[in-house]
Amino acid sequence: MSQDLTILLTRGLVDTAYMVGASSAISFLAGLPLGVILSITAPGGILPNRPVYGALSLLVNVGRSIPFIILMVAIIPLTRILVGTSIGTEAAIVPLSVSAIPFVGRVVESALREIDDGIIEAALSMGATPLEIIRKVLLPEALPAIISGLTLTVISLIGYSAMAGAIGGGGLGDIAIRYGYQRFMPDVMLATVIALVLMVQFFQFAGDSLSAKTRHDKKG
Amino acid sequence: MIRLDGVSKVYRVSDPGGTAKKNFHALRDVSLEIENGAIYGIIGRSGAGKSTLIRCVNLLERPSSGRVFVNGVEMTALGDGQLRAARKKIGMIFQSFNLLANRTVYGNIAFPLELDRWREREIKDRVKEIAQLVGIEDKLAQYPSQLSGGQKQRVGIARALANRPDVLLSDEATSALDPQTTKSVLGLLRDINDKLGLTVVLITHEMEVIKEICDSVAVLDAGEVVEEGPVLNVFTSPLKGVTKELLAQVTKTQLPDSFADLKFLRERDSRQADVLLQLSFFGSAAARPMISDLVRKFDVDVNILVAHIDHIRATPYGTLVIQISGDEREDALDYLLDMNLKVKVIGYVARSNDTAH
């Protein structure tokens, strides 16, 4: 393997990290409030609201049922508006984020739903406001589950980012297609696969240990 | 003082199998007055409406009709913000403890104080003080999952008391605990009631709990208060069937199965009949050697079938089921009726029947 190839792979790794990092950050920031609103407006939540819950839930379901490869193409106009181009690493961040936001929303919603109603009732009995319940009860109590869910999101985004590479998004997927597949360079293909596996392993490990560290509801 | 004024709660429930909605009356026109500083028990079987009733005090459940007053404030008339402020002065503990799993013991006790915007310095002092009161000062750095049930409930009590409430609501707080832990937690509640003078309202399905710490008791059945009064009165002269049933848990006055085939006679003055009666006594009457008095004064034999003697707080009380035979049994009965005892003639049984043991 030449020096050029090493530079190429490093470049791909950085691009992938950038795409995944940025789209993860955006989807967490948008998905967290989405999940909170879903959970509190759900029937039996602390501020039940059927129309809001129904509308958001529908939106999330629609978002999640569109295959990523189709979503990527379908929202090209939106991508153009937001980043000025539909090709390249930055352009890939838009569909990646859009596809991950509903996922994060559901992950957060289900994490919050796991919290015992009794704990919420106890907080209400102490005169907590809905906002205080969200900030001091729901989110801290669900933190380990949320971290696990976010880990899952990051790993899915690594996979999707490789797919974005196929339509000129850059990154490891792009390199694997253009060099490994189209130019018959199996060593490049292998190198990108190893890099992706290592990335996934790293995030899974980091996520698991962070989740365990914040979890105190088990003995020991 | 806590006052419930004609409180009713109606739920709309769907008919099983059908689409029609039905009204379910969880509470029907409940009126209660609870004195400041009292330990007031509400007892009933499961489904009697106890949980709904206690939640109507701090309005976790809003009554469908009726009014609730706590210390002169009409809770049912408060807006959201005022209600939250009022709740900060009403502590509550739960059967399942409901502690925050991801906060330490310290964090749990500090929680209501954070909600009430206390300064960090003051929170620290108060948490230490209250942890000492309930005996968990060495557990502050631990998480609830590391504690036993009794310790968890002590944390729950500490959390409920941290903000110096006037009222403590206890929702089956000892039902998940073993008998010994139950005793120590109840002892703690009584201690706190003595020391801090706060009013305790508790719900339970166990007469033992009422007997152990309550001053007054209300018996709830199908959403209605069927009996109410000082514990001693209700214990020694229960009026309603539900009460008697619940009391049977602690007094065991029912005849053992071996007496089930006793032949009861209609005629009280049958020459063949023995009198079977139940005596309840409490206070000084319990100290009198009543049975030997009876045998000495009259020409009768007394056979004790069931006996139960216990204490409510410091007052002894007991129940006896005795069988009196002999020529002067009617005189003996009159004598007993004259004494300061609660006497209930269960019936007359045929002497010839060899059933007495």
Side-chain angles (χ1 to χ4, degrees), chain A residues 13-86:
Chain A
L13 199 66
V14 170
D15 282 350
T16 295
Y18 175 51
M19 276 190 289
V20 172
S23 56
S24 295
I26 292 167
S27 60
F28 295 176
L29 287 176
L32 193 72
L34 176 64
V36 168
I37 294 170
L38 278 170
S39 118
I40 63 173
T41 58
I46 54 172
L47 295 170
N49 186 322
R50 204 177 277 274
V52 171
Y53 180 76
L56 283 179
S57 194
L58 182 71
L59 201 67
V60 165
N61 286 344
V62 169
R64 289 195 59 198
S65 53
I66 301 172
F68 179 67
I69 196 96
I70 294 170
L71 181 87
M72 215 161 39
V73 179
I75 64 167
I76 282 176
L78 176 70
T79 308
R80 281 225 178 86
I81 294 168
L82 289 175
V83 293
T85 170
S86 62

Side-chain angles (χ1 to χ4, degrees), chain A residues 118-119 121-122 124-129 132 136-137 140-141 144 214-219, chain B residues 55 58 60 84 87-88 90 92 94 98-102 111-112 114-115 117 143 145 159:
Chain A
I119 291 175
E121 190 181 40
L124 285 171
S125 83
M126 289 180 257
T129 62
E132 282 168 331
K136 287 174 176 282
V137 179
E141 288 292 296
T214 54
R215 184 179 291 277
H216 297 288
D217 58 352
K218 296 240 169 65
K219 271 211 189 285
Chain B
R55 281 168 177 70
N58 60 2
L60 286 177
R84 281 194 287 269
R87 280 176 178 163
K88 287 176 181 172
I90 304 175
M92 189 165 189
F94 305 87
N98 294 346
L99 301 175
L100 295 162
N102 277 339
F111 184 57
E114 288 172 24
L115 294 179
R117 310 260 185 281
Y143 285 92
S145 60
R159 181 176 70 174

Side-chain angles (χ1 to χ4, degrees), chain B residues 102-118:
Chain B
N102 277 339
R103 277 184 178 230
T104 59
V105 169
Y106 180 96
N108 269 284
I109 303 174
F111 184 57
L113 305 177
E114 288 172 24
L115 294 179
D116 203 31
R117 310 260 185 281
W118 284 40

Side-chain angles (χ1 to χ4, degrees), chain B residues 213-269:
Chain B
I213 62 167
C214 292
D215 305 308
S216 296
V217 62
V219 181
L220 205 61
D221 187 37
E224 279 177 281
V225 173
V226 293
E227 201 154 344
E228 204 245 340
V231 171
L232 214 52
N233 293 3
V234 174
F235 263 55
T236 49
S237 51
L239 300 171
K240 293 290 188 326
V242 205
T243 318
K244 288 174 191 165
E245 228 172 87
L246 289 163
L247 271 172
Q249 296 170 1
V250 285
T251 54
K252 303 176 186 72
T253 53
Q254 270 139 357
L255 286 175
D257 290 345
S258 53
F259 295 99
D261 52 351
L262 274 182
K263 233 187 214 154
F264 285 96
L265 303 175
R266 285 269 172 81
E267 296 292 309
R268 66 168 285 171
D269 49 10

Side-chain angles (χ1 to χ4, degrees), chain B residues 149-344:
Chain B
Q151 289 166 338
K152 281 182 198 168
Q153 197 54 285
R154 282 169 190 268
V155 177
I157 292 170
R159 181 176 70 174
L161 296 178
N163 204 5
R164 302 196 169 90
D166 312 308
V167 176
L168 178 66
L169 305 177
S170 163
D171 175 14
E172 297 267 11
T174 57
S175 297
L177 305 175
D178 63 73
Q180 210 161 0
T181 315
T182 294
K183 268 215 149 102
S184 83
V185 167
L186 291 177
L188 174 65
L189 286 179
R190 189 154 63 192
D191 237 37
I192 286 160
N193 169 259
D194 278 348
K195 271 189 203 150
L196 310 178
L198 87 173
T199 312
V200 178
V201 182
L202 63 85
I203 62 169
T204 182
H205 62 275
E206 295 170 313
M207 249 327 167
E208 195 68 35
V209 171
I210 303 283
K211 189 196 109 189
E212 198 68 25
I213 62 167
C214 292
D215 305 308
S216 296
V217 62
V219 181
L220 205 61
D221 187 37
E224 279 177 281
V225 173
V226 293
E227 201 154 344
E228 204 245 340
V231 171
L232 214 52
N233 293 3
V234 174
F235 263 55
T236 49
S237 51
L239 300 171
K240 293 290 188 326
V242 205
T243 318
K244 288 174 191 165
E245 228 172 87
L246 289 163
L247 271 172
Q249 296 170 1
V250 285
T251 54
K252 303 176 186 72
T253 53
Q254 270 139 357
L255 286 175
D257 290 345
S258 53
F259 295 99
D261 52 351
L262 274 182
K263 233 187 214 154
F264 285 96
L265 303 175
R266 285 269 172 81
E267 296 292 309
R268 66 168 285 171
D269 49 10
S270 157
R271 288 209 160 269
Q272 300 288 346
D274 284 354
V275 189
L276 203 63
L277 46 87
Q278 179 183 319
L279 307 171
S280 301
F281 46 87
F282 55 94
S284 55
R288 228 175 319 164
M290 177 194 48
I291 302 289
S292 55
D293 270 5
L294 209 59
V295 177
R296 208 172 292 138
K297 285 199 170 109
F298 305 98
D299 181 18
V300 291
D301 288 314
V302 176
N303 187 16
I304 298 173
L305 304 181
V306 177
H308 182 84
I309 295 171
D310 209 337
H311 290 78
I312 296 175
R313 297 242 174 155
T315 312
Y317 74 98
T319 310
L320 284 181
V321 177
I322 59 174
Q323 182 179 15
I324 306 177
S325 55
D327 291 342
E328 292 181 359
R329 59 184 187 277
E330 289 299 321
D331 302 320
L333 178 59
D334 290 340
Y335 171 76
L336 285 174
L337 290 169
D338 280 348
M339 285 168 63
N340 188 22
L341 302 173
K342 299 249 153 70
V343 178
K344 193 184 106 196

Side-chain angles (χ1 to χ4, degrees), chain B residues 106 110 113-127:
Chain B
Y106 180 96
L113 305 177
E114 288 172 24
L115 294 179
D116 203 31
R117 310 260 185 281
W118 284 40
R119 286 202 202 94
E120 209 161 323
R121 180 80 237 158
E122 295 169 332
I123 291 180
K124 211 169 185 177
D125 293 344
R126 180 61 181 161
V127 170

